[in-house]
């Protein structure tokens, strides 16, 4: 094939991607055609000439990652997956043998049941590496993928066995660059010198409200240079040879991530909408779509047209490169397995989200102790015991490791830093949002990451946390300083509504353990999760370690709620419900009420999520419907407790923000003391009548 023929075929493929995006949006009467039209040459150059991705096996561990951070350009990604012949991963959808994105999917873009959702959704369409749409999230998640690559290479590569050499690419737009999370991610990536990370910035200078000149005039190149990145410019997106040169420069760069700024035209080829906000988030319209197709040299009346030679051209370059590279990797890994069987087994387990046999053999057992210890301290001990047996359990905090007790203290742990990518302790800096997004990227690469901060600062990371739940990633969040009891730092640092908001998040498992042994059981729950994130909500202050010979075993944590202490005859007149630090307060009230002849039951409720999964018989056993006298005690928002105490139960909770004072004083000020719990219990008994449940 001559250079001229090659150029014509390249252009035909690019224009096929453009018209396919136009047609998806037109048929759906919804979507974003402009960015796919402008960025198609850039994406084509990357996929066709550089990306190492086996269309037959999208789960190959050493494949290059492509993240479409500019998620509203999803029609471009779906066109690529279709034309490149990427096969469906039957482990995700056994009934979807064949192409990951079929022509029928393209024609039902944004409709129920289509793999072509409005924004890319991981786990729904094979080849979508992460869920994107909220701008900036894809960039920050790609940072986590690059971190994972560096750690895997440093930990498992051996001389002659380069198992983890993949690159991570992310395609971003102007909106991604405006979001603050991209600045957090760029700062950390530059510090860590992640030289296999390449962000491609499709700069078309148009947002929904018009030209970006109305809001965004900073020197992006200077910003990234200051963060330690290599910055390259492509002045015309349609010149794919210049883009290819920039990508080759990235490939040969060491100790720096790379940003390639590609200047493009949104809605390229649309005669009346190119370079306008009208091309961003709505269909072009029939006439404009026809005119654009004519500009590309396509039949204006044809829809979803794939000209002769296009599929074969993608297969000859993208497909053959991926298949041959993967086959070579398989051969290399087989030899590696023969020489390093234990390491190979670890890699297998990571990819399957399994944990090693006997991972829990070293978990501590905490003795009864009235003084006790903070659940954050107990968690730190458990975390280190687990990490000793799960080599790919790793993570860190947003500059709060000493406070969250999440530092891995074993000699083998080390710190992940520019000079040592094998460390398992991460210093994310004061960057909660990018920490949580990066943790998702690490989980998507097979690692088991944890991310930690004060509970109130989870607000800074909400977008990333929500996406981890949406994707079903087993990220472990460790939130400490869980209530007003943290004290003197005051209302700005005292969480109130956060606990209710985490309970409201679908697919998030939230656990607030009551003592050290509940912490152990909470970690058992967490480590068993394969397709859900978990939040451990832990105390700063010491909590009594309960006498488990007198009270029920902490193993009840696995069911979300359990009867911790019961009336002597097993049939209570009063239920005392609590989670976390307030359970000990209910135990104290229980002991006093028992002395007074009151038949009380204490129910520890560390996880509403898990309790709601139990069958009705168990739920009724724990919370008998006939027992109307109920008091719940939790130093957080009251929202949701009426589900368990009923309309006429009493809820001791917070209905405002906290107070700056020593922790005990704050607790007393808001009624979290024995006197208030006893008073509430007596009001309930009086209202419903002692023995009313008989």
């Amino acid at each position: 094939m001559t250079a001229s023929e090659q150029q014509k075929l390249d252009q035909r493929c690019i224009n096929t991607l453009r018209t396919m995006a136009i047609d998806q949006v037109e048929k759906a009467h919804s979507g974003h055609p402009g960015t796919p039209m402008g960025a198609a040459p850039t994406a084509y150059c990357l996929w066709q000439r550089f990306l190492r991705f086996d269309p037959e096996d999208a789960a190959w561990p050493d494949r290059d990652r492509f993240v479409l951070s500019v998620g509203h350009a999803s029609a471009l990604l779906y066109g690529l997956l279709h034309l490149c012949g990427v096969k469906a991963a039957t482990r995700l959808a056994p009934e979807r043998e064949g192409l990951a994105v079929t022509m029928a999917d393209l024609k039902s873009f944004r409709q129920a049941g289509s793999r072509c959702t409005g924004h890319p959704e991981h786990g729904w369409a094979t080849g979508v590496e992460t869920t994107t749409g909220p701008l900036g999230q894809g960039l920050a998640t790609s940072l986590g993928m690059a971190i994972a690559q560096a750690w895997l290479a440093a930990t498992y590569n051996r001389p002659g066995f380069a198992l983890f050499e993949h690159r991570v690419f992310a395609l971003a737009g102007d909106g991604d660059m405006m979001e603050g999370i991209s600045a957090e991610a760029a700062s950390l990536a530059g510090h860590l010198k992640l030289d296999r990370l390449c962000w491609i910035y499709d700069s078309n200078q148009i947002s929904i409200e018009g030209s970006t000149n109305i809001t965004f005039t900073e020197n992006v190149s200077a910003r990234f240079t200051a963060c330690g990145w290599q910055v390259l410019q492509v002045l015309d997106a349609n010149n794919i040879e210049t883009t290819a040169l920039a990508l080759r420069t990235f490939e040969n760069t060491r100790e720096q991530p790379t940003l390639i700024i590609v200047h493009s035209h949104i809605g390229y080829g649309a005669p009346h909408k190119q370079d306008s906000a009208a091309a961003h988030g709505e269909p072009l319209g029939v006439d404009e779509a026809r005119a654009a197709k004519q500009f590309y040299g396509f039949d204006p009346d044809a829809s979803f047209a794939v000209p002769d030679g296009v599929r074969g051209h993608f297969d000859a370059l993208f497909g053959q490169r991926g298949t041959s590279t993967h086959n070579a990797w398989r051969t290399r890994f087989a030899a590696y397995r023969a020489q390093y069987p234990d390491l190979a087994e670890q890699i297998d387990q990571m990819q399957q989200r399994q944990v090693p046999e006997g991972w829990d053999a070293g978990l501590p057992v905490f003795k009864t102790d009235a003084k006790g210890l903070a659940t954050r301290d107990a968690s730190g001990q458990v975390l280190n015991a687990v990490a000793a047996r799960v080599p790919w359990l790793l993570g860190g905090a947003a500059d709060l490791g000493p406070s969250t007790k999440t530092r891995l203290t074993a000699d083998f742990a080390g710190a992940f830093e520019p000079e040592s990518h094998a460390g398992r302790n991460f210093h994310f800096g004061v960057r909660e949002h990018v920490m949580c997004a990066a943790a998702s990227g690490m989980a998507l690469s097979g690692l088991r990451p944890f991310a930690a901060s004060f509970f109130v600062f989870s607000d800074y990371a909400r977008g990333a946390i929500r996406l981890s739940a949406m994707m079903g990633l087993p990220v472990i969040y460790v939130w400490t300083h869980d209530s007003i009891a943290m004290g003197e730092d005051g209302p700005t640092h005292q969480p109130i509504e956060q606990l209710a908001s985490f309970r409201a998040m679908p697919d998030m498992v939230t656990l607030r353990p009551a003592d050290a042994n509940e912490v152990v059981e909470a970690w058992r729950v967490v480590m068993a999760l394969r397709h859900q994130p978990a939040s451990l909500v832990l105390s700063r202050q010491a909590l009594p370690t309960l006498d488990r010979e007198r009270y029920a075993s902490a193993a009840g944590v696995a069911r979300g709620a359990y009867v911790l202490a019961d009336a002597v005859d097993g049939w209570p007149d009063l239920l005392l419900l609590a989670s976390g630090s307030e359970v000990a307060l209910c135990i104290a009230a229980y002991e006093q009420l028992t002395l007074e002849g009151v038949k009380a039951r204490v129910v520890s409720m560390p996880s509403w999520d898990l309790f709601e999964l139990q069958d009705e018989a168990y739920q009724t056993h724990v919370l008998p419907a006939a027992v109307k006298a109920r008091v719940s005690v939790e130093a957080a928002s009251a929202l949701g407790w009426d589900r368990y105490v009923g309309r006429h139960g009493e809820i001791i909770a917070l209905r405002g923000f906290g107070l700056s004072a020593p922790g005990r004083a704050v607790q007393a000020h808001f009624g979290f003391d024995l006197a208030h719990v006893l008073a509430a219990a007596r009001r309930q008994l009086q209202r419903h009548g002692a023995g009313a449940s008989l």
Side-chain angles (χ1 to χ4, degrees), residues 21 47 144 180 185 347 436 446 475 477 486 516 557 559 630 693:
W47 280 57
I347 293 170
C436 292
V475 178
Y477 300 106
M486 71 169 296
V557 168
R559 305 190 78 170
R630 302 185 181 198
S693 59

Side-chain angles (χ1 to χ4, degrees), residues 483-484 495-496 634-639 652-658 670 672:
S483 74
I484 57 172
I496 305 297
E634 189 172 67
S637 168
L639 187 65
I652 300 177
L654 288 156
R655 293 168 174 81
F657 294 111
F670 288 105
F672 292 94

Side-chain angles (χ1 to χ4, degrees), residues 40 49 51 76 110 168 200 374 386 419 474 500 556 656 664-665:
R49 298 192 183 184
L51 203 70
L76 175 59
R110 287 184 163 228
V168 179
I200 303 172
V386 176
E419 300 77 20
R664 289 187 181 277

Side-chain angles (χ1 to χ4, degrees), residues 194-548:
L194 298 172
D195 55 20
R196 291 185 172 270
L197 177 63
C198 179
W199 290 355
I200 303 172
Y201 170 23
D202 175 63
S203 176
N204 59 46
Q205 298 184 304
I206 295 293
S207 64
I208 291 175
E209 295 183 355
S211 169
T212 56
N213 287 333
I214 64 176
T215 59
F216 190 57
T217 54
E218 71 183 55
N219 187 329
V220 174
S221 176
R223 187 222 297 185
F224 276 76
T225 300
C227 287
W229 287 59
Q230 170 180 241
V231 180
L232 306 171
Q233 299 272 355
V234 175
L235 299 181
D236 180 6
N238 291 304
N239 188 337
I240 64 173
E241 299 306 326
T242 306
T243 301
L245 177 60
L247 288 166
R248 283 194 293 272
T249 302
F250 155 68
E251 287 185 323
N252 294 318
T253 298
R254 296 293 174 265
E255 298 192 350
Q256 280 185 299
T258 295
L259 175 70
I260 302 175
I261 303 176
V262 182
H263 300 271
S264 70
H265 296 278
I266 194 169
Y268 178 79
H272 304 103
K273 293 189 176 183
Q274 178 176 313
D275 296 326
S276 72
H280 174 80
E282 60 189 45
L284 294 179
V286 174
D287 292 340
E288 191 77 357
R290 291 184 81 256
K293 290 179 182 179
Q294 285 181 314
F295 176 82
Y296 301 142
F298 276 49
D299 180 351
D301 296 315
S303 293
F304 297 96
V306 182
D308 292 343
V310 168
R311 296 185 194 277
H313 191 46
F314 273 109
D315 181 65
L317 295 178
F318 173 88
Q320 293 302 316
R321 181 178 59 253
T323 300
S324 62
T325 307
H326 188 189
N327 286 338
W329 186 89
R330 284 194 182 102
T331 300
R332 191 160 58 250
F333 188 50
Y336 180 91
R337 187 185 299 279
Q339 190 164 339
Y340 304 104
D342 293 342
L343 296 180
E345 183 180 8
Q346 290 181 18
I347 293 170
D348 291 340
Q349 290 174 328
M350 271 190 287
Q351 296 303 312
Q352 296 164 16
R353 293 185 182 175
Q354 295 177 345
V355 290
E357 186 176 350
W359 68 270
D360 58 349
L363 294 184
V365 176
F366 293 94
K367 296 180 180 179
T368 303
D369 184 352
K371 180 180 178 182
L373 75 165
T375 51
R376 64 170 177 169
D377 290 305
S379 177
Q381 293 184 41
V382 179
L383 169 61
N384 273 276
V386 176
R389 289 169 170 78
V390 183
W392 51 94
L393 176 64
L394 70 180
D399 197 47
L400 290 170
S403 295
T404 57
K405 309 300 180 183
T406 47
R407 182 175 180 273
L408 301 180
T409 57
D411 292 340
F412 58 75
F416 186 96
E417 285 293 337
E419 300 77 20
S420 175
H421 284 161
R424 293 169 62 186
N425 285 300
F426 286 78
H427 302 292
F428 290 105
V430 187
R431 304 183 183 98
E432 293 87 357
H433 202 177
V434 82
M435 170 182 69
C436 292
S440 289
M442 295 159 72
L444 286 164
S445 300
L447 307 185
R448 196 67 193 276
F450 58 86
S453 189
F454 290 179
F455 195 26
V456 75
F457 298 143
S458 63
D459 288 348
Y460 279 108
R462 181 66 50 153
I465 298 166
R466 184 174 188 266
L467 287 183
S468 74
M470 196 177 294
M471 289 188 277
L473 303 179
V475 178
I476 302 167
Y477 300 106
V478 179
W479 308 117
T480 67
H481 298 60
D482 68 337
S483 74
I484 57 172
M486 71 169 296
E488 293 88 344
D489 280 333
T492 61
H493 283 52
Q494 293 167 5
I496 305 297
E497 72 280 13
Q498 285 74 18
L499 192 54
S501 72
F502 271 77
R503 287 169 175 159
M505 188 179 295
D507 296 320
M508 172 64 71
V509 176
T510 303
L511 297 122
R512 187 173 182 242
D515 74 347
N517 287 308
E518 279 202 4
V519 169
V520 175
E521 298 306 318
W523 271 99
R524 287 190 196 276
V525 169
V526 167
M527 292 305 297
L529 297 175
R530 297 178 63 195
H531 304 292
Q532 284 178 282
S535 286
L536 294 170
V537 183
L538 307 171
S539 74
R540 176 197 186 194
Q541 76 277 18
L543 305 181
T545 304
L546 300 174
D547 182 352
R548 294 295 170 170

Side-chain angles (χ1 to χ4, degrees), residues 9-94:
L9 189 49
D10 285 338
Q11 194 61 51
R12 192 183 310 157
C13 291
I14 291 167
N15 289 337
T16 301
L17 289 169
R18 285 168 163 157
T19 58
M20 197 169 277
I22 291 171
D23 290 337
Q24 289 177 69
V25 175
E26 287 297 314
K27 192 170 190 305
H29 305 295
S30 173
H32 303 74
T35 297
M37 294 164 70
T42 304
Y44 171 80
C45 180
L46 172 62
W47 280 57
Q48 184 72 315
R49 298 192 183 184
F50 293 89
L51 203 70
R52 303 182 319 150
F53 189 100
D54 184 356
E56 299 291 332
D57 185 357
W60 167 33
D62 199 34
R63 69 191 181 279
D64 286 344
R65 269 55 166 189
F66 173 78
V67 173
L68 186 71
S69 192
V70 57
H72 56 262
S74 57
L76 175 59
L77 177 57
Y78 302 141
L80 285 163
L81 292 170
H82 177 74
L83 294 175
C84 288
V86 174
K87 299 298 192 299
T90 53
R91 64 182 176 80
L92 297 178

